[in-house]
Amino acid sequence: MALKMSMCQFSVPLLLPDGCDSQCTLMLGALRDIVKEWRPHDLAESRGFVEDNIVQADIPFFSFVRLKNCSLSKSQVLNHILSRGQQNHTMFIHREMEGGGHARKIANGLVEVCWYLPDGNRNLDNFPKPVAFANLRGDIGQSITQFSFLYEVSTATFVFLDKVEENEHKILTSLQDVKSKLFLVINRKVQNAKEDMKSVKATMEVLGLPNSNVKVKDSRINTAEFSKKLCELIKPRLSDAKSIISIENMPDKAVDLGLSVDESKTDKQRKTAEEIINSIGKRSIPAYKKQQLPLQGDNWKKLSKLESEECRMKDAGDSNLEEYKDQLQVEKQRIRKEQSQLKPSKAMRSFIETLSTSDKERRDFFLKWMKFKLNTDSRDKLTELRNRFKEHCKKKDAKLIAELDRALVESSLGIEHYMREMGLIYEFSSQSEDPADKVSDLPGLAAEMLLDGHPLELLDGDASNIPERWLTDVLMELHRKVGQKSKLLVLTVLGVQSSGKSTLLNTMFGVQFPVSSGRCTRGAYMLFLRVGEDMREELNYDFIVLIDTEGLKSPHLAQLEDSYEHDNQLATFLIGLSDVTIINVAMENSTEMKDVLQIAAHAFLRMKEIGKKPVCHFVHQNVAGVSAHEKMMTERKYLLDQLNEMTQIAAEMENQSSIKAFTDVLDYDIQKNTWNIPGLWLGTPPMAPVNTGYSEAVADFKKNLLETVKSDRSDELSQIPEFLEWMRSLWKAVKYENFIFSFRNTLVARAYNNLCKEFNQWEWEFRKEIFSWQKEAELEILNADKSELPETKKKKASEKIVHQQKLMKQKLEEYYKRKDRHVHLIEKHKTEFFNNITGLKNEIQHSVDNKLDCALELRKSLKEVQDIQRKSREMIEEQVMKLLTDCKHRRLSDEELKHEFEKMWTEVTANVFGLKEQNISARILNQLSKKFLNHNVNEELENIKDLKETGKGEFEVKAEHVKRGKVNAVMNLIGKHVWWHSETTRQLQFVAKNVIDSCTRFVKDIAKTDTDYNDCFTNELLEKVNESLTRHRNLFDPKFEFDLKLHMCGIASREFLLMHRTFLAKMDPKVQLESFKPQYLLDFLDLYKQRDDCQRKATDFVQLCIRPAVEQYISTSLGTDIVDEILTGSHSAQYSSRSFFQYNIQKELLRKEEFESFLKYICKYEIYVKDWIFQHILQKMSEDKTLCKLKNKTLQVIVQKITEATEKASKGEDGVQLPDDQESITVLINNMRKYLIKDISISEEAEKTTLFQIQSTCHPFTKSLIKSLSDLNEQLQEEFSNSEDITETLNKLPIRPQDELFKQVFGCGQQCPFCKVPCEAGGKDHKKHHAAVHRPQGLGHYKYEETEKLVETLCTTDVHSKCKFRNTDTNWELHPYKKYTTYYPDWHIPPDSSIEASDYWKYVLVKYNDRFAQEYKAKPADVPEAWRRITKEQALKGLKDAFNIK
């Protein structure tokens, strides 16, 4: 309070009377915070200044008191004395001012003090030196103790009076040394003038007071003139050094007079503080810090440089990068070990012990006293250094400036250094620290201090480092202390040095960030302001976190080479942490403003890229209060122009060509986000008061800012754990040269993963819905007679798919509106996911069209079969009836009847032939020729008559396959061309083998299904070859593509031919007739013997017509049911996202530890994943008879449907039971077919065969049918229970669960160009491929040219090094890894999240180094020694960390 009153140039209490009694208190402690600056006249020429604490400074002290009878206002006179030039400010309240005439009730006995401070201008200054003026409220008769005290401590005392009464005469005549210390100021009135002067003269005579000590004011002189005369009286006494007593030295006199002091010399906290400060002694500050605060010394700074070097590797030279990284790691561990072995010094033990008191007041007093003593000490010792620094800055000697800057930093000592040391004691302490050391209690202590309003160092600007463990544990302790209610609104102010950043924060929030010009400590500090209960509901925050920083673009340090980089890092880090950023700009310095705006624009652009959207306000300070609106608008427009210009520059530096304006980066409103604030001081300091216009403008700004926060309510607020996670990620990223490239954040990864999980779920729901519709559509096509039906269905399919696409897009839109999943962090991926939905829609549309075409083809094939079957059936039935007629008049035994039947059957079926085999090879060649328009290729195709021998041997890459440009490029380089050419050929051979293996697997999977060949299978195969070759097109000529596709078509022709023959065999009319032979025989026997055939006919109908349809229904449903079971079961997380799937696969690989599995995973990733998924499905379906349960579940559904359909079919359209006759059975079956048309297909031929010459009527047949259905249900359940061939079941399903799960997790299938790690990005249509963990490049077939050894460095290391690579993509030209995006623009390869993140693949390479080398025809890699020490457990831990698995 005293500090703020003093800033406003109000007088502050020196002696404060107690409200209850007459006791007065000397307010020494309250005044200790007041630090003032002034320029005495003897420093005017050198432009030097004095900065001192007001209670310690030796300033002449003048007291103004009055007697009871005094008509002249001493307060008014004092205001004139203290007013400088034309400035006139009310420092002391007096009766002539507004509100000054109220009756005094509690102010009597109050002594106020105010200081006059010169600014070096001889024409305007009233005094050449600083002067203190005390003012006693009330007359001295009522406050004798206060008057006695003032008289004792003052250089001179001025007594204002009209006359002297008797008791006042006694008081004055008792004073000592009056000639030099006592002055009488008499206000001569017209009335009773003689009488009044008589009493004054009597007192003067007794005191022996000379006339020079008396000043008389008569009515002819106004107060202003009279005040000048008093000034002339005061000036000669300013040089009387003997009579000057500093306020700090007044307590003894106060105590002697019975006054109390608001500080006590005997306080333990004060003594401890003084002991700590006194221990510095005559030592230099750097020497003291080295001994008493050793942890923040050179080792801490070295550690910071090592961590930065670990990210940038600028000094690696020709060293092996992985070895170099390990050396840095070893050096870091050595320093950490050294630091951890240092015990807390005596000063730090005392500091921590005193802080640890549970009494908040005592702790605050200790900190205040420490701060006061340290600031005093620093002011004394830094003045000379600061002056030298200024002198050398003029000479612009960068080396000397850097040395002096370092000296200034090292010579600075404040409370923050002790707090920093306390943090480092904890940072370097062992996790298993002895509890007796109480180190583990330090975070709790710091958390309490944060809650008490003390700042905490966020960034050590001296070392450019962050004690992550300390900050994390302190803030997590705070999080626990507040019951895990720690929603944070983070606000930062950035701007140039001395631009009023701290003052702005102090004014807005009533805090006390240091504003002293002598502050040397750099970095950033944060202060936690607890939001009051009344505001918490409105704001929706628990704390407002204020971050105060060092200034950007320090004019002195700008000459140092790393200044801009340092500012850029600081701005990026702090803007990244903040929800609200205030940028302080000065319109008057255009160059400086441009620099700050460029730094800010750069930081905001980076935040946009990583998904952070801070609110930004620009504040112009020192703007004229009554500027015209047009002028303000002009300035704001100018600012926006500058911002746009700086944004374009920053966008070019970050390769963000689409960014053209600042509004492309932030939601910036020129009206709402720009603030003009008047200057802080009303006049010229040091005597200028604070401008009320400044306070009002700041209050208005704050109000608007908080209103914006209230209106922008979000449930997705950062709490302390998220804040810490974000802080760690930002800090790691800013240490790299390319921030956006290096940013990896768990919150972002988690948000992205959450969206991927949801997206995968939506995708499966989309597919499942279409599968369900497709199943019904295929049945309708198979059951229909119309050939145009597929086209109608395709149109309906398109409408259905578009509808599902719309629903999925709505879900995505709704997801991005949610405020609980950090969706704002993944805003930039929104378009990608919308593109993925469009891609998914196109893929499903293509697939459905193919399936409907296949259904049409199948219907044509089945119709052909059915026509043959119908003719054969009719012929057999005719012969059966003829035979029956022949035999009816003879008595024959069963054996004789069977013999006659066999003879008839053999004769009739002798001429039944199957379907004609198609020329599958010719059909495949035809599809291949459609894909190639090249005349030469067509000629070659014409010469190929069939594919019988094609694709039987190994595919060999020939010279004509390699792209001409590649050959020419390598031939021109003498000495290297042979190696490079063979290397290109080797790569192409590897590509060909992978394509063939993958596509052969694809063909064999199709061939396992129970369907006939269709041309769409060949088209899908050729599309798959195209997809596989896309990334390698720069390697080969068209001839390679043709030969490879021809080779693949040869393989496919044999597989598809076998598939076709299997289908023909299954559908052979003769085979179909043979299956009905037993039924015809029984029908013949029953008809001959005239037996009731009702139950048998019903059973035959169920077995031969209903059962195949039920099995087909189960088969078409089972695929989606299995996928559902796996995606909703206990292991559903494995398929929830690509990254989690990768984690599970790699974890299992590590558990099995089989080289062949690792090799297959790396080299044949697609095949490995398919096999892994298939085995996983087998395992899950075997457990607890899951497959049997799924079949039974579907069985109950379809049996229920058939039973209900039977009951419904047994009645006519009017609901009346069908007549009980034979004709009604046909009506019953037709009704059943109508009601079940979307569920099952009942074969008409099978129906007519089984119901041939049925003798039963409708009602008994219906009952028998329902009983047979029940028997079928039990029969199938038993078969399912006994069935063990799960593999066969899975392979025959129309919707194969292994394929659907593969689509869920495989994604785009792209692999890292260096290490071959698969992409884990969501969907297929993403802009950038990325993976959580990359590998040593040797595992991706990379080897060194000269040594042919496998490359051991990780691509995540190389891409931020100075190394270069060359391969077929670069035309064998050397290319910097840093610019890998030139050739691989769609890959994002950030550095590893930690040194341990890649432990998994380091462990694998070390374990199988020789075998990989043998397999890749290379020599083993030179792995760093540290890698050999990685254990299996560490490898698994690294994997977990990389995939954020807790």
Side-chain angles (χ1 to χ4, degrees), residues 398-419:
K399 187 179 177 183
L400 200 55
I401 290 169
E403 286 176 10
L404 283 169
D405 177 55
R406 191 164 55 250
L408 261 173
V409 169
E410 288 173 356
S411 299
S412 177
L413 182 64
I415 200 86
E416 61 271 18
H417 293 91
Y418 289 89
M419 289 298 295

Side-chain angles (χ1 to χ4, degrees), residues 137-316:
R137 295 289 178 182
D139 64 85
I140 62 174
Q142 294 173 316
S143 310
I144 294 174
T145 307
Q146 290 93 314
F147 172 64
S148 302
F149 170 75
L150 288 176
Y151 189 76
E152 287 282 332
V153 300
S154 297
T155 305
T157 302
F158 288 78
V159 182
F160 282 60
L161 60 127
D162 287 352
K163 65 177 182 177
V164 182
E165 293 187 354
E166 188 178 338
N167 63 325
E168 293 168 342
H169 176 79
K170 287 179 182 177
I171 294 169
L172 293 175
T173 52
S174 65
L175 300 175
Q176 304 294 319
D177 197 18
V178 293
K179 289 183 180 178
S180 61
K181 293 185 68 174
L182 183 64
F183 294 85
L184 301 182
V185 179
I186 303 165
N187 186 30
R188 183 182 291 162
K189 294 187 294 184
V190 178
Q191 299 90 358
N192 302 323
K194 287 186 179 180
E195 195 66 33
D196 291 348
M197 283 304 295
K198 186 177 178 184
S199 63
V200 173
K201 285 183 179 178
T203 304
M204 287 175 62
E205 285 175 10
V206 174
L207 289 170
L209 202 63
N211 288 332
S212 58
N213 283 30
V214 178
K215 282 291 175 187
V216 180
K217 178 185 179 300
D218 57 37
S219 57
R220 290 171 298 175
I221 304 174
N222 65 25
T223 307
E225 290 296 325
F226 185 70
S227 298
K228 286 183 182 179
K229 291 184 178 182
L230 290 182
C231 288
E232 294 305 317
L233 194 60
I234 292 169
K235 282 180 186 176
R237 282 146 187 87
L238 297 181
S239 55
D240 186 5
K242 293 178 184 178
S243 64
I244 296 173
I245 300 176
S246 67
I247 295 174
E248 191 176 42
N249 292 327
M250 292 180 183
D252 288 341
K253 293 190 181 293
V255 172
D256 290 345
L257 291 167
L259 298 172
S260 61
V261 183
D262 67 347
E263 319 181 321
S264 171
K265 289 183 179 179
T266 58
D267 281 332
K268 183 183 175 184
Q269 288 74 24
R270 176 172 175 172
K271 279 188 174 179
T272 307
E274 286 180 342
E275 282 172 10
I276 292 172
I277 306 306
N278 292 338
S279 67
I280 300 173
K282 293 183 178 178
R283 280 180 293 180
S284 66
I285 295 293
Y288 172 80
K289 283 165 79 172
K290 196 170 185 178
Q291 186 182 39
Q292 295 297 317
L293 311 175
L295 289 175
Q296 58 193 280
D298 290 340
N299 269 350
W300 175 233
K301 294 180 177 73
K302 278 182 197 169
L303 194 61
S304 174
K305 285 179 181 173
L306 285 170
E307 286 173 358
S308 181
E309 176 61 16
E310 201 171 35
C311 296
R312 302 190 177 194
M313 295 198 288
K314 286 185 173 179
D315 302 327

Side-chain angles (χ1 to χ4, degrees), residues 1264-1359:
S1264 298
L1265 188 60
I1266 291 172
K1267 181 182 181 303
S1268 294
L1269 275 172
S1270 178
D1271 293 341
L1272 175 67
N1273 191 0
E1274 291 175 11
Q1275 180 191 352
L1276 286 174
Q1277 284 190 54
E1278 187 177 348
E1279 286 180 20
F1280 294 160
S1281 181
N1282 296 328
S1283 174
E1284 292 181 356
D1285 195 357
I1286 300 174
T1287 302
E1288 184 69 18
T1289 302
L1290 293 175
N1291 284 332
K1292 296 291 183 188
L1293 295 177
I1295 297 169
R1296 292 153 47 92
Q1298 58 268 41
D1299 292 346
E1300 295 310 314
L1301 287 172
F1302 177 76
K1303 289 173 190 171
Q1304 287 274 106
V1305 296
F1306 189 69
C1308 64
Q1310 291 295 314
Q1311 291 178 281
C1312 171
F1314 302 113
C1315 70
K1316 300 297 179 279
V1317 68
C1319 167
E1320 294 160 20
K1324 285 186 177 179
D1325 295 308
H1326 38 257
K1327 292 178 184 174
K1328 293 279 185 183
H1329 307 299
H1330 63 80
V1333 190
H1334 287 258
R1335 314 165 182 156
Q1337 291 166 80
L1339 295 176
H1341 288 79
Y1342 266 71
K1343 56 188 176 184
Y1344 293 110
E1345 292 173 35
E1346 293 79 9
T1347 62
E1348 295 203 359
K1349 289 181 179 180
L1350 293 175
V1351 176
E1352 76 290 345
T1353 52
L1354 289 99
C1355 40
T1356 47
T1357 300
D1358 275 334
V1359 290

Side-chain angles (χ1 to χ4, degrees), residues 319-360:
S319 307
N320 176 303
L321 288 183
E322 296 300 337
E323 285 280 7
Y324 183 64
K325 273 172 78 176
D326 283 325
Q327 288 169 14
L328 294 175
Q329 196 67 11
V330 168
E331 181 63 13
K332 276 169 59 181
Q333 287 168 355
R334 182 192 67 76
I335 290 175
R336 284 192 165 276
K337 188 177 178 183
E338 274 185 26
Q339 294 282 80
S340 66
Q341 289 171 344
L342 291 172
K343 296 294 179 186
S345 64
K346 182 182 176 183
M348 280 311 300
R349 287 197 301 273
S350 297
F351 181 78
I352 293 169
E353 187 182 330
T354 310
L355 277 188
S356 300
T357 177
S358 58
D359 189 321
K360 176 184 177 300

